Amino acid sequence: MRRLEELTRENIWRLEPYSSARNEYSGHQATVFLDANENPYNDPYNRYPDPLQVELKKRISVVKGVRAENIFLGNGSDEAIDLVYRCFTCPGKDNVVAMEPTYGMYKVCADINDVEYRPVLLDEKFQITAEKLLGACDDNTKVVWICSPNNPTGNSIDREEVINTIKGFEGLVVVDEAYIDFSRLSSLRFELDKHPNLIVLNTFSKAWGCAAIRLGMAFAQKDIIDIFNKVKYPYNINLLTQEQAMKALKDPFEVDKWVRLLLQERGNMMEAFRMLPFCERVYPSDANFFLVKVSDAQTIYDYLVSKGIIVRNRTKIRLCGNCLRITVGRKSENTEVLAALRRLGAELRVKG
């Protein structure tokens, strides 16, 4: 790995971060707060939240098995994604490499930050090799993006190829594990000490059922986390989000139960989809969704919308022609979508 100073945008490395009122008395007990121009009434919402989410990180550290100093919390994973660009890439000069197809925000953030985005096409099994990813890199490549399990394909990327990419690249490798809780693979966050250039993303939006609170996690070496904290907005995680996350973290076994239910439903749904007359292929999945290739994705999508059922039409994405992405819902929701599709299949047979 190149020295972090070489990878960091020069102005960011020199940046003197904003010092919030709450940071300045850190380490001391206080009962009277007259430092932040807050209204003394309407407790507790009149006070700014902890800018570094210390208590929340301590709890996440226990549940996730990662030291608190190696955790960054963002307004959804998208904040961490954007910070990677803002901290480590120079607009108009640097580039990043990513798989294709994959999560669309990597490219959106590249475009916003005026950074060249180099997609590398997956093979017919939705896999990629380290050789192909590294072959797309040059001296100005700062970041390689790997989403595993991948979105929208649902599959995990071969672990050996991911590790070879991390070891073979001198810049930063970001592995987005938003769906790792639905996979049998262990998280790469447990291997941070082996790989100083690794950033692992995770989220409260999927397995934890907390998409509405917008809380994402990034796990990395402390020097990388320190740079994120230097650049982020002072109070990026509001009090309500921190409180709700603490409440969710009290019962991780409930999350385990949800995951087991969803995995069971995923298997049932995938098997049922294979029986539909217009289904051409159901792709393997390690996520809480699966990708299915059908005879006419747009017609089927429009039919479901007319019945008040929303799935994702991915047909315009490379390698995903005539593919729908189906999120696994409650048993009642899954039954409803299957019933609608069976009715559509019967109607098409009659017309045929």
Side-chain angles (χ1 to χ4, degrees):
M1 177 184 172
R2 292 156 62 183
R3 291 186 306 120
L4 192 61
E5 182 177 353
E6 295 178 48
L7 294 173
T8 306
R9 193 186 293 184
E10 185 178 352
N11 67 301
I12 298 301
W13 188 262
R14 299 194 315 266
L15 178 69
E16 288 292 331
Y18 175 80
S19 179
S20 70
R22 293 297 179 260
N23 281 332
E24 292 176 358
Y25 75 92
S26 179
H28 299 276
Q29 293 294 322
T31 56
V32 177
F33 297 96
L34 303 177
D35 58 333
N37 302 335
E38 299 155 324
N39 188 325
Y41 306 108
N42 195 35
D43 186 69
Y45 305 112
N46 57 330
R47 301 298 181 187
Y48 288 109
D50 176 5
L52 293 176
Q53 311 93 35
V54 172
E55 293 304 314
L56 179 53
K57 285 178 182 176
K58 286 179 182 177
R59 183 59 187 155
I60 291 173
S61 174
V62 173
V63 173
K64 292 291 186 178
V66 177
R67 292 184 296 270
E69 66 183 20
N70 299 123
I71 301 172
F72 171 80
L73 298 181
N75 187 343
S77 295
D78 292 340
E79 181 178 4
I81 292 169
D82 186 55
L83 277 174
V84 168
Y85 286 98
R86 291 166 59 200
C87 295
F88 301 111
T89 62
C90 294
K93 174 186 175 184
D94 291 331
N95 66 75
V96 301
V97 169
M99 315 177 311
E100 185 174 357
T102 194
Y103 181 45
M105 280 304 295
Y106 312 142
K107 185 179 188 307
V108 169
C109 286
D111 292 343
I112 290 171
N113 287 278
D114 191 24
V115 171
E116 181 189 357
Y117 184 86
R118 297 183 174 183
V120 181
L121 197 63
L122 299 174
D123 64 22
E124 68 279 358
K125 295 181 180 179
F126 296 145
Q127 288 293 340
I128 194 75
T129 64
E131 181 181 9
K132 282 188 175 181
L133 286 171
L134 296 174
C137 300
D138 61 20
D139 291 342
N140 290 326
T141 306
K142 291 290 190 67
V143 181
V144 173
W145 296 94
I146 299 175
C147 186
S148 181
N150 190 28
N151 177 12
T153 61
N155 64 298
S156 295
I157 303 302
D158 184 277
R159 179 57 58 89
E160 184 177 354
E161 299 298 338
V162 175
I163 296 297
N164 287 340
T165 302
I166 297 168
K167 290 181 175 179
F169 185 52
E170 294 184 343
L172 299 172
V173 177
V174 184
V175 181
D176 189 341
E177 294 186 340
Y179 302 97
I180 194 67
D181 299 283
F182 304 99
S183 170
R184 287 175 295 211
L185 292 176
S186 63
S187 172
L188 282 172
R189 69 178 181 270
F190 301 120
E191 300 188 27
L192 291 177
D193 290 339
K194 297 180 183 178
H195 308 295
N197 62 331
L198 172 64
I199 300 172
V200 177
L201 303 183
N202 202 199
T203 179
F204 274 78
S205 295
K206 310 304 179 184
W208 288 86
C210 289
I213 72 173
R214 307 308 303 128
L215 186 62
M217 295 165 277
F219 308 106
Q221 293 292 323
K222 182 179 181 299
D223 51 1
I224 294 175
I225 298 299
D226 288 344
I227 292 174
F228 282 166
N229 285 330
K230 184 161 76 166
V231 175
K232 78 173 184 70
Y233 293 118
Y235 304 105
N236 62 323
I237 308 298
N238 68 69
L239 177 62
L240 296 174
T241 291
Q242 293 188 46
E243 288 179 340
Q244 187 59 41
M246 289 291 282
K247 187 183 299 183
L249 286 161
K250 287 180 179 178
D251 192 5
F253 298 109
E254 181 74 3
V255 176
D256 292 340
K257 184 181 77 173
W258 293 340
V259 169
R260 288 196 301 272
L261 289 171
L262 289 169
L263 291 180
Q264 181 178 350
E265 281 297 300
R266 185 184 73 189
N268 294 339
M269 285 277 282
M270 292 172 71
E271 186 59 33
F273 262 77
R274 291 187 183 99
M275 305 299 292
L276 295 171
F278 40 73
C279 176
E280 297 184 0
R281 183 174 182 182
V282 178
Y283 292 94
S285 175
D286 289 320
N288 66 331
F289 64 86
F290 59 94
L291 195 69
V292 56
K293 186 171 184 177
V294 294
S295 56
D296 188 340
Q298 190 62 52
T299 295
I300 295 169
Y301 174 81
D302 291 341
Y303 176 84
L304 289 174
V305 170
S306 73
K307 303 301 180 183
I309 299 170
I310 309 301
V311 297
R312 199 76 190 270
N313 187 358
R314 302 282 75 189
T315 195
K316 294 181 180 180
I317 294 176
R318 294 179 73 183
L319 300 183
C320 295
N322 270 328
C323 285
L324 299 174
R325 193 190 70 192
I326 313 294
T327 303
V328 180
R330 294 176 183 267
K331 188 176 183 65
S332 59
E333 296 171 314
N334 301 333
T335 299
E336 186 173 351
V337 70
L338 286 169
L341 290 173
R342 287 167 182 149
R343 288 194 298 270
L344 175 60
E347 291 175 15
L348 294 175
R349 277 197 298 270
V350 170
K351 291 180 180 179

